[in-house]
Amino acid sequence: MATTQGGTATAGNSTSNAAVNSPVTERASEAAHHAVDAMAEKAASAEDTLRKTAASSKATIDQKQEELKMQMQSSYERSKQFAHENPLAAAGIAFAAGMLVSALLRRGN
């Protein structure tokens, strides 16, 4: 019985070794490795491009945000100066704007 088990194990190993060492299996394995390597290179390239684009976009957004902040500050300062120099006109404009917003809100309901 021991001989039969050893013989079966040897036959099983030689069958699996033959499958691993067959030219078709080697070619298929090699083709799969090449395909995976090519996809990895493309993915790395796409990731690099995406990272560069994101960094550039962030820089642009930061710059635009800073410009907008400066414009808002400037507008605020001009409005404040106008209200200080012309308090009656500023009150009239605020009243008119309030009436307009109120009318629009009533119309929406």
Side-chain angles (χ1 to χ4, degrees):
M1 254 203 225
T3 310
T4 308
Q5 286 177 346
T8 305
T10 305
N13 284 343
S14 64
T15 304
S16 72
N17 285 343
V20 171
N21 294 329
S22 77
V24 173
T25 304
E26 286 182 32
R27 282 186 284 169
S29 176
E30 196 173 305
H33 285 291
H34 287 301
V36 168
D37 290 344
M39 287 301 294
E41 287 178 18
K42 288 180 182 179
S45 174
E47 180 184 8
D48 186 45
T49 301
L50 185 61
R51 286 183 188 275
K52 287 178 182 176
T53 302
S56 173
S57 296
K58 183 184 181 320
T60 301
I61 288 171
D62 289 345
Q63 179 184 4
K64 294 294 181 183
Q65 183 180 15
E66 189 61 34
E67 289 174 8
L68 183 60
K69 189 185 296 184
M70 290 173 60
Q71 286 176 353
M72 289 179 65
Q73 184 66 29
S74 174
S75 295
Y76 173 74
E77 291 298 327
R78 284 186 296 180
S79 299
K80 188 176 170 182
Q81 182 181 1
F82 176 80
H84 183 69
E85 292 173 359
N86 305 301
L88 191 57
I93 291 170
F95 179 77
M99 293 296 289
L100 179 64
V101 169
S102 177
L104 291 174
L105 289 175
R106 274 192 235 137
R107 193 177 267 185
N109 290 328

